[in-house]
Amino acid sequence: MKPVYLLLIMAISGCSTMKKAALRGASPLFVDGTELLTRERNWDFFRDSSPGNLKFLETLYLQDESNLPLLAMLIKGFAGYAYGVSETLAFDDELAGIETSPHKKTAMSLYTRSFDYGMSYFERRGISRKEILEKTDDQFEKILNDKMTKADLVPILFTAQAWASLINLQKDNIALVSQVPRVKSLFDWVCKTSPDIEYGVCDIFYAQYEASRPKMLGGDPEKAIQLYETAIKKHHQHLLIRVNYIQYSIIPAFDKKRYDEIAKILREEFSKWEDLNRDNLEDLSDYKTAEKLNLYNSIAQKRFEIIEKYKKKIFED
């Protein structure tokens, strides 16, 4: 921990040039640390430890607001925590029938912070908020092609995810809902460039996109089912896809038969995931793939536990 403390001291004291040099030199270490976070298997530990880490990164960023790697980590970090923890707990409140959920309020606050950091990122890459909101799809795609590179894909992706989640949590806000096409255009650009970015996020988005909109607004429940089932085959170790399928397609349709089928599979898959280690796999590459999905699967397990807790209320009331 000594290098971390040393960096913190350098970041909050001394001349501005030294601070920025120290932070820029250490930024790759923080990026690597963020990537390693996906290996965390314990949802409770992620919930408890992440706020302090995010605040630490935010403090460092405020010392050097032109540091794009730190800014990108804040976009991803706040969006990821909002989804993995606050929105997960808000989902529990929703199924419990709690009309005013404090967790939903927290999720919206964190998504807003991620989105605002995302807008700052775009501005630092030469794209104004006005251009983002007002340009046509063709014009906006050209702007992205001209000014963004593959290095910008992750912050763009999580800006779009935060934006989409804010809309999903406030479906009664017509002004926000009208922004859905622009959110989709961001996903389209990222996912066209890197379809397998972040271990299946694109597949989840497109399936949920079709499932979460009513037919009168262009949603297609049948297409959503096809997309979910294709994604499950493609990413069979990614259990959050199955849970997302339950949350956005099966529960709204009150399809208890299909729920029972997938729930049985999930119980078996979670058991395999919990027992997973280097010794019980013939192919080490399978372990490495599963290891990268640990955080996603821990979120999936928590959400599945919530669904199981309320399944009688969901399907029999």
Side-chain angles (χ1 to χ4, degrees):
M1 292 297 292
K2 288 182 179 179
V4 176
Y5 289 129
L6 177 60
L7 176 62
L8 180 57
I9 292 170
M10 294 177 70
I12 61 178
S13 63
C15 70
S16 175
T17 302
M18 288 181 62
K19 287 189 290 187
K20 290 183 179 180
L23 291 175
R24 303 229 170 144
S27 291
L29 298 176
F30 292 120
V31 172
D32 291 343
T34 301
E35 290 301 316
L36 290 173
L37 184 60
T38 61
R39 300 181 186 180
E40 177 55 53
R41 298 170 65 92
N42 189 307
W43 182 86
D44 293 294
F45 181 78
F46 173 71
R47 176 196 61 195
D48 296 339
S49 64
S50 294
N53 293 332
L54 285 171
K55 195 60 188 176
F56 173 70
L57 289 175
E58 196 169 39
T59 300
L60 296 183
Y61 170 70
L62 292 175
Q63 308 298 315
D64 180 13
E65 294 188 25
S66 59
N67 190 320
L68 288 182
L70 278 177
L71 184 54
M73 282 186 283
L74 289 173
I75 297 166
K76 180 178 179 178
F78 281 110
Y81 189 81
Y83 178 83
V85 176
S86 301
E87 194 172 344
T88 296
L89 295 172
F91 180 48
D92 192 331
D93 289 344
E94 178 186 349
L95 294 182
I98 298 173
E99 293 185 5
T100 305
S101 168
H103 300 298
K104 179 179 178 179
K105 184 177 180 181
T106 301
M108 289 168 57
S109 174
L110 295 175
Y111 279 133
T112 298
R113 191 177 300 196
S114 174
F115 175 75
D116 287 342
Y117 278 133
M119 292 297 100
S120 295
Y121 191 96
F122 275 100
E123 288 171 3
R124 294 191 181 281
R125 298 293 283 126
I127 303 175
S128 69
R129 187 180 292 231
K130 183 176 181 180
E131 287 177 306
I132 294 171
L133 292 173
E134 296 182 4
K135 294 295 183 180
T136 66
D137 285 345
D138 289 342
Q139 291 172 333
F140 188 55
E141 182 179 8
K142 185 177 186 307
I143 291 172
L144 290 173
N145 288 333
D146 290 343
K147 296 188 176 182
M148 294 296 195
T149 69
K150 286 188 176 181
D152 302 307
L153 289 176
V154 170
I156 294 174
L157 175 70
F158 283 96
T159 299
Q161 188 243 319
W163 196 353
S165 298
L166 276 172
I167 295 170
N168 194 48
L169 292 172
Q170 302 174 86
K171 291 180 179 178
D172 57 343
N173 187 325
I174 303 301
L176 266 181
V177 172
S178 69
Q179 296 169 2
V180 167
R182 182 42 35 95
V183 176
K184 184 175 182 295
S185 68
L186 285 174
F187 272 100
D188 288 344
W189 190 82
V190 171
C191 296
K192 180 181 178 181
T193 306
S194 182
D196 293 324
I197 190 171
E198 293 293 319
Y199 317 112
V201 167
C202 292
D203 298 286
I204 292 175
F205 169 76
Y206 287 114
Q208 185 176 327
Y209 177 75
E210 296 297 341
S212 61
R213 296 177 303 145
K215 285 187 176 181
M216 63 182 294
L217 294 178
D220 189 337
E222 294 303 318
K223 183 178 180 180
I225 291 172
Q226 294 174 4
L227 290 172
Y228 275 123
E229 292 183 350
T230 299
I232 288 168
K233 291 178 182 178
K234 181 180 178 183
H235 307 281
H236 67 279
Q237 293 177 303
H238 197 320
L239 305 183
L240 186 57
I241 297 175
R242 286 184 170 91
V243 174
N244 193 276
Y245 181 20
I246 292 172
Q247 183 175 347
Y248 288 98
S249 279
I250 293 174
I251 290 178
F254 303 105
D255 189 345
K256 187 176 185 300
K257 180 180 178 181
R258 187 65 179 135
Y259 172 78
D260 289 338
E261 292 171 355
I262 296 181
K264 180 181 178 181
I265 295 171
L266 272 171
R267 293 185 197 104
E268 295 171 354
E269 292 298 322
F270 280 126
S271 179
K272 292 179 185 177
W273 171 66
E274 288 172 347
D275 294 338
L276 190 66
N277 58 61
R278 291 176 183 267
D279 297 327
N280 62 13
L281 282 175
E282 295 180 3
D283 187 350
L284 187 58
S285 64
D286 283 347
Y287 175 83
K288 291 180 178 179
T289 299
E291 192 177 40
K292 293 175 182 178
L293 294 171
N294 277 344
L295 183 57
Y296 295 99
N297 287 344
S298 72
I299 295 168
Q301 187 176 51
K302 183 64 177 180
R303 292 198 179 195
F304 183 61
E305 289 172 358
I306 291 169
I307 294 168
E308 287 277 87
K309 181 169 65 173
Y310 295 106
K311 65 179 180 180
K312 184 175 181 180
K313 179 180 179 181
I314 294 168
F315 294 108
E316 297 181 13
D317 280 4

